[in-house]
């Protein structure tokens, strides 16, 4: 490996200046061990409580008395924490910087203006019938009104469910139905890479399957002429000015739900990951300050969409809870040119930049000149999230973007964890390219083998977490049993992450990727089961099996094996049709990169598909197929190998 033995010490000039330096890290680790109650109480004290919590932690991962509660008698409001409490000293400071898809389109929103917009929208939502505890689905482009909508929900105690703008009508409908939203917030269109995204048209199509939706709040963004359904749709731009800019924040219990975010698992339909108010915000807020060493006044740019958890925690809640300035970018890394990210960094003097390895790999391929023509001297810290960063991409990021001087925080976490759990602290941790380094104070990791035996020292195994942290998800919306079964039953008494991981002799953690049937395509998390069920919903398909395979840019690509019904014949045209079908059923990012016809799939005698074998064929590791003798019909493997599609 190119990075073997490479170690980048924390910059010397950060010592004494960073929020947490090496001594601070050691002290925090020691304190959370010796005085957990005090440590967590202090962490909660960074928020503004209407009633401060006296009960700090009440957690059991055991089946008999399973519960996860943090700060449970505390009362607070998230929007007040993200806005109101900054007003006395930061009313005119910039909360959000907006950079549009087209260069030249940008805007700034101060904390005072954000307060005004959020209160007005909160009042409109109330007028539309929304109450505390109601679910509101948000389907918006990456524009400031998306943050306004989330905060307006939080202000009135409604639970938001943001659906990424790349999802199809069917995917939206499933998510609306699952949490029974009566109200949807959307826009006419979004803009990405010079193209328009038909958001309202997708919502209209989705709502044909969702009779319970009573109201749609429509944001006019591009101004496109879209149908407005009489009695159902209300145009935000028309009602905004008449709405009152005064809206008292709803007092919420720390354990009241804040949001639901759907994410893919290894089985079945996407799960509604539920996060609550106090613990989530405390964790998003503290990790933002600690990991990014953030100080108010600095411009922070996280390139993730608010449709994913990274956008929730590090575009909206973490930065705003700290009184920070967060940049919202509507576009894509390579539009209009592969210099776009770096143009935006220079234009807005971005100090801290946080992106995904897939974007870095794509930009790396375009050549250094697209980076080098920019100044980039405003940058002081770089971050990575979403998938393992390969050392080549890390070293490129460090050398070309970071000019060999900027620390990189490789942050490991999940939708389920609410915020970062494993990451360097830039003023404290020596970096190794490709390693997320060490757990944050209070995060207790273990590596276990398939049977659950704890592995010590330098080793490789499955990553589990043995105790709770405040930002942990609390349930799968509407299915608490599934929550327990999915995460706490594989290794009783422990939270199973679904990731494989190595630990080296220095105690550094190296995430190796998912060990379940979840794949990570360009940083988008997908369940292979979802793609399979989309494929079999097509009339020509009898059966389908989907696996991930290594892909240079995307990290993983989607490889689909498809068995057709007896009356269907394989053809190039049908192959294209099926790829389009998946795009339409789930979203463009889920479309198979490779689709191989499979007259039969390798199955055990009990009928279980042997994905291990399919993965090896997809990876072109056909001489490492292992034992195939237990298969019901070993000859299907020969056929698949012989007709292996040219996966690149
Ligand atoms: C935040 C987010 C979670 C899965 C996770 C893991 C992968 C995320 C990573 C990483 C290696 C990192 N992952 N960050 N793998 N190094 N720094 O991405 O949430 O969409 O739920 O995905 O992403 O496999 O289990 P989510």
């Amino acid at each position: 490996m190119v990075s073997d033995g490479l170690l980048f010490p924390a910059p010397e000039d950060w010592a004494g200046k960073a929020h947490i330096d090496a001594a601070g890290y050691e002290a925090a680790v020691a304190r959370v061990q010796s005085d957990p109650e005090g440590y967590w109480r202090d962490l909660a004290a960074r928020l503004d409580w209407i009633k401060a919590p006296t009960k700090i932690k009440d957690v059991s991962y055991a089946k008999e008395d399973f519960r996860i509660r943090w700060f449970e008698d505390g009362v607070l409001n998230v929007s007040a924490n993200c806005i109101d409490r900054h007003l006395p000293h930061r009313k005119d400071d910039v909360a959000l910087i907006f950079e549009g898809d087209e260069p030249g389109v940008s805007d700034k929103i101060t904390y005072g203006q954000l307060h005004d917009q959020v209160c007005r929208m909160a009042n409109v939502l109330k007028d539309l019938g929304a109450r505390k505890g109601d679910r509101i689905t948000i389907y918006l482009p990456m524009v400031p009104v998306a943050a306004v909508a989330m905060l307006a929900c939080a202000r009135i105690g409604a639970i938001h469910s943001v659906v990424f703008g790349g999802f199809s009508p069917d995917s939206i409908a499933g998510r609306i139905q699952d949490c029974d939203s009566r109200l949807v917030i959307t826009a006419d269109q979004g803009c990405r890479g010079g193209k328009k995204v038909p958001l309202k048209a997708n919502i209209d199509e989705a709502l044909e399957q969702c009779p319970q939706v009573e109201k749609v709040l429509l944001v006019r963004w591009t101004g496109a002429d879209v149908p407005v359904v009489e009695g159902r749709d209300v145009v935000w731009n028309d009602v905004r000015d008449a709405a009152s800019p005064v809206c008292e924040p709803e007092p919420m219990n720390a354990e009241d739900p804040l949001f639901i975010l759907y994410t893919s698992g290894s089985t079945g339909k996407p799960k509604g990951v539920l996060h609550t108010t106090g613990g989530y915000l405390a964790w998003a807020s503290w990790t933002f300050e600690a990991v990014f060493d953030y100080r108010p006044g600095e411009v922070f740019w996280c390139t993730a969409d608010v449709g994913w958890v990274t956008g929730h925690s590090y575009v909206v809640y973490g930065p705003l809870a700290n009184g920070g300035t967060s940049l919202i970018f509507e576009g894509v890394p390579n539009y209009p040119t592969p210099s776009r990210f770096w143009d935006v960094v220079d234009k807005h003097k971005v100090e801290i930049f946080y992106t995904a390895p897939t974007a870095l790999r794509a930009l790396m391929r375009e050549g250094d000149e697209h980076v080098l023509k920019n100044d980039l001297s405003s940058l002081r810290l770089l971050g990575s999230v979403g998938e393992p960063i390969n050392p080549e991409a890390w070293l490129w990021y460090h050398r070309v973007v970071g000019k060999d001087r900027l620390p990189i925080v490789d942050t490991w976490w999940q939708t389920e964890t609410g915020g970062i759990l494993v990451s360097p602290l830039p003023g404290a941790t020596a970096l190794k390219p490709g390693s997320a380094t060490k757990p944050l104070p209070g995060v207790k990791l273990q590596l276990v083998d398939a049977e659950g035996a704890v592995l010590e020292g330098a080793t490789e195994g499955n990553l589990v977490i043995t105790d709770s942290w405040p930002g942990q998800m609390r349930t799968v919306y509407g299915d608490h049993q599934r929550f327990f079964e999915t995460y706490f039953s594989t290794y009783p008494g422990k939270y199973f992450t679904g990731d494989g991981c190595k630990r080296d002799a220095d105690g550094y953690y190296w995430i190796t990727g998912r060990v379940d049937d979840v794949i990570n395509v360009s940083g988008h998390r997908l369940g292979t089961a979802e793609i399979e069920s989309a494929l079999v919903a097509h009339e020509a398909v009898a059966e389908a099996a989907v696996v991930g395979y290594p892909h240079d840019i995307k990290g993983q690509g989607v490889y689909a094996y498809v068995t057709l019904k007896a009356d269907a014949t394989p053809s190039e045209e049908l192959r294209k049709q099926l790829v389009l079908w998946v795009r339409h059923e789930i979203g463009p990012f889920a479309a198979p990169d490779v689709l191989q016809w499979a007259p039969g799939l390798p199955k055990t005698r009990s009928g279980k598909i042997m994905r291990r074998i399919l993965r090896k064929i997809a990876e072109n590791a056909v001489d490492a197929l292992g034992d195939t003798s237990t298969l019901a019909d070993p000859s299907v493997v020969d056929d698949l190998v012989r007709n292996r599609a040219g996966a690149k």
Side-chain angles (χ1 to χ4, degrees):
M1 200 190 278
V2 289
S3 64
D4 267 359
L6 282 182
L7 193 69
F8 295 81
E12 272 167 30
D13 55 349
W14 282 47
K17 283 194 243 156
H19 278 299
I20 302 183
D21 59 14
Y25 175 74
E26 293 307 328
V29 168
R31 168 124 194 262
V32 72
Q33 187 66 31
S34 63
D35 175 22
E37 175 105 359
Y39 181 86
W40 296 121
R41 188 189 305 273
D42 286 356
L43 192 128
R46 60 185 297 111
L47 301 182
D48 197 13
W49 296 85
I50 298 166
K51 176 182 176 300
T54 63
K55 297 183 182 163
I56 301 303
K57 178 186 174 201
D58 182 19
V59 173
S60 165
Y61 286 172
K63 188 164 187 156
E64 332 53 269
D65 55 354
F66 180 62
R67 59 182 187 277
I68 302 171
R69 294 184 202 127
W70 284 89
F71 317 127
E72 62 179 292
D73 61 343
V75 178
L76 75 165
N77 180 281
V78 165
S79 90
N81 269 278
C82 289
I83 312 172
D84 304 45
R85 71 165 157 156
H86 309 310
L87 293 178
H89 49 295
R90 270 196 204 114
K91 188 166 173 293
D92 299 321
D93 286 3
V94 176
L96 300 172
I97 297 176
F98 173 63
E99 171 74 15
D101 188 45
E102 293 297 333
V105 177
S106 56
D107 198 5
K108 292 196 163 122
I109 294 166
T110 64
Y111 274 94
Q113 291 165 333
L114 184 62
H115 182 260
D116 176 274
Q117 294 295 300
V118 167
C119 288
R120 287 178 196 271
M121 191 178 286
N123 283 321
V124 169
L125 296 178
K126 282 202 225 169
D127 288 347
L128 295 179
R131 296 289 173 267
K132 181 173 176 171
D134 288 356
R135 280 77 54 212
I136 297 181
T137 296
I138 298 177
Y139 185 67
L140 286 169
M142 257 306 272
V143 298
V145 78
V148 170
M150 292 161 74
L151 291 160
C153 290
R155 196 160 190 94
I156 64 171
I159 306 166
H160 60 68
S161 162
V162 182
V163 177
F164 172 58
F167 276 112
S168 68
D170 271 356
S171 301
I172 304 163
R175 285 157 172 76
I176 290 175
Q177 286 157 354
D178 185 80
C179 69
D180 194 26
S181 291
R182 309 282 160 126
L183 209 165
V184 174
I185 308 176
T186 192
D188 44 15
Q189 295 177 319
C191 309
R192 270 173 71 84
K195 299 196 188 85
K196 300 283 187 280
V197 185
L199 299 173
K200 178 59 161 57
N202 288 347
I203 287 292
D204 287 340
E205 195 181 326
L207 294 193
E208 287 170 17
Q209 304 171 47
C210 306
Q212 78 275 29
V213 172
E214 290 154 13
K215 295 286 174 192
V216 173
L217 185 61
L218 172 65
V219 176
R220 286 213 191 278
W221 178 249
T222 63
D225 188 15
V226 294
V228 176
V229 177
E230 184 76 38
R232 188 194 72 182
D233 301 355
V234 171
V235 177
W236 162 240
N237 312 54
D238 296 346
V239 295
R240 180 177 49 196
D241 292 348
S244 164
V246 180
C247 176
E248 282 307 312
E250 187 74 30
M252 303 295 286
N253 183 271
E255 284 296 342
D256 282 338
L258 175 64
F259 67 82
I260 299 166
L261 187 55
Y262 286 87
T263 193
S264 299
S266 41
T267 52
K269 57 187 174 97
K271 297 183 283 273
V273 168
L274 185 122
H275 282 287
T276 57
T277 300
Y280 168 81
L281 192 67
W283 194 249
S285 165
W286 178 75
T287 52
F288 178 74
E289 184 184 71
V291 173
F292 300 109
D293 190 50
Y294 187 80
R295 279 142 241 277
E298 291 188 316
V299 178
F300 177 84
W301 181 16
C302 165
T303 66
D305 193 285
V306 290
W308 308 111
V309 75
T310 307
H312 281 59
S313 301
Y314 301 111
V315 175
V316 180
Y317 291 120
L320 298 180
N322 282 283
T325 303
S326 178
L327 193 149
I328 293 187
F329 176 44
E330 186 182 17
V332 297
N334 57 359
Y335 178 82
T337 75
S339 293
R340 186 65 193 279
F341 270 1
W342 323 117
D343 294 344
V344 175
V345 167
D346 279 354
K347 176 174 171 186
H348 297 292
K349 303 272 175 293
V350 171
E351 267 120 341
I352 304 166
F353 178 71
Y354 188 35
T355 197
T358 184
L360 295 171
R361 286 191 298 264
L363 295 175
M364 182 167 91
R365 199 173 65 162
E366 298 285 347
D368 297 2
E369 64 274 18
H370 297 286
V371 190
L372 298 177
K373 73 178 201 27
N374 290 77
D375 174 51
L376 303 187
S377 61
S378 58
L379 287 173
R380 113 180 152 80
L381 177 64
L382 304 174
S384 171
V385 62
E387 51 178 317
I389 179 163
N390 46 315
E392 292 77 3
W394 193 103
L395 290 167
W396 179 84
Y397 198 21
H398 190 255
R399 175 174 56 84
V400 181
V401 182
K403 316 295 179 207
D404 290 317
R405 83 188 156 85
L406 305 186
I408 298 176
V409 288
D410 174 2
T411 62
W412 176 88
W413 59 296
Q414 310 177 298
T415 307
E416 293 88 338
T417 71
I420 297 164
L421 292 192
V422 185
S423 171
L425 293 171
T429 316
L431 309 173
K432 297 188 187 188
S435 168
T437 75
K438 298 200 174 189
L440 296 178
V443 174
K444 296 182 190 162
L445 305 182
Q446 265 182 3
L447 299 184
V448 296
D449 69 14
E451 281 70 49
V454 178
L455 306 167
E456 306 289 350
T459 186
E460 179 168 2
N462 290 342
L463 183 66
V464 299
I465 308 177
T466 60
D467 201 351
S468 187
W469 63 98
Q472 181 165 31
M473 74 182 280
R474 299 297 195 266
T475 193
V476 170
Y477 187 80
D479 198 346
H480 201 55
Q481 187 61 27
R482 186 172 175 201
F483 176 51
F484 180 83
E485 294 298 331
T486 307
Y487 302 102
F488 302 92
S489 68
T490 318
Y491 301 111
K494 297 170 186 181
Y495 168 83
F496 178 37
T497 62
D499 278 320
C501 184
K502 285 183 198 160
R503 185 173 49 219
D504 69 17
D506 298 326
Y508 276 52
Y509 288 82
W510 303 71
I511 309 291
T512 52
R514 301 289 303 199
V515 294
D516 53 11
D517 293 319
V518 171
I519 55 177
N520 199 322
V521 179
S522 298
H524 297 319
R525 180 170 158 180
L526 286 165
T528 51
E530 279 169 76
I531 307 176
E532 288 162 7
S533 66
L535 282 167
V536 294
H538 188 280
E539 57 180 12
V541 176
E543 204 171 17
V546 169
V547 297
Y549 73 97
H551 185 288
D552 286 351
I553 305 289
K554 298 179 174 186
Q556 279 187 300
V558 178
Y559 196 119
Y561 297 87
V562 172
T563 310
L564 293 176
K565 287 187 184 154
D567 56 357
T569 334
S571 69
E572 250 337 278
E573 200 191 317
L574 182 57
R575 189 198 306 271
K576 282 191 196 131
Q577 222 185 62
L578 290 176
V579 171
L580 275 177
W581 173 263
V582 176
R583 283 178 72 93
H584 184 259
E585 288 286 293
I586 304 177
F589 54 89
D593 298 280
V594 181
L595 194 150
Q596 175 172 356
W597 304 121
L601 291 168
K603 290 186 186 165
T604 60
R605 291 192 189 114
S606 61
K608 213 169 163 351
I609 296 175
M610 297 275 279
R611 286 160 193 288
R612 180 177 55 78
I613 292 174
L614 295 175
R615 274 189 218 112
K616 292 286 178 211
I617 298 173
E619 282 166 21
N620 204 10
V622 289
D623 36 7
L625 293 182
D627 184 10
T628 55
S629 62
T630 55
L631 292 176
D633 177 7
S635 74
V636 300
V637 174
D638 300 335
D639 179 276
L640 292 179
V641 170
R642 215 172 24 248
N643 296 307
R644 186 183 165 275
K648 287 190 195 65

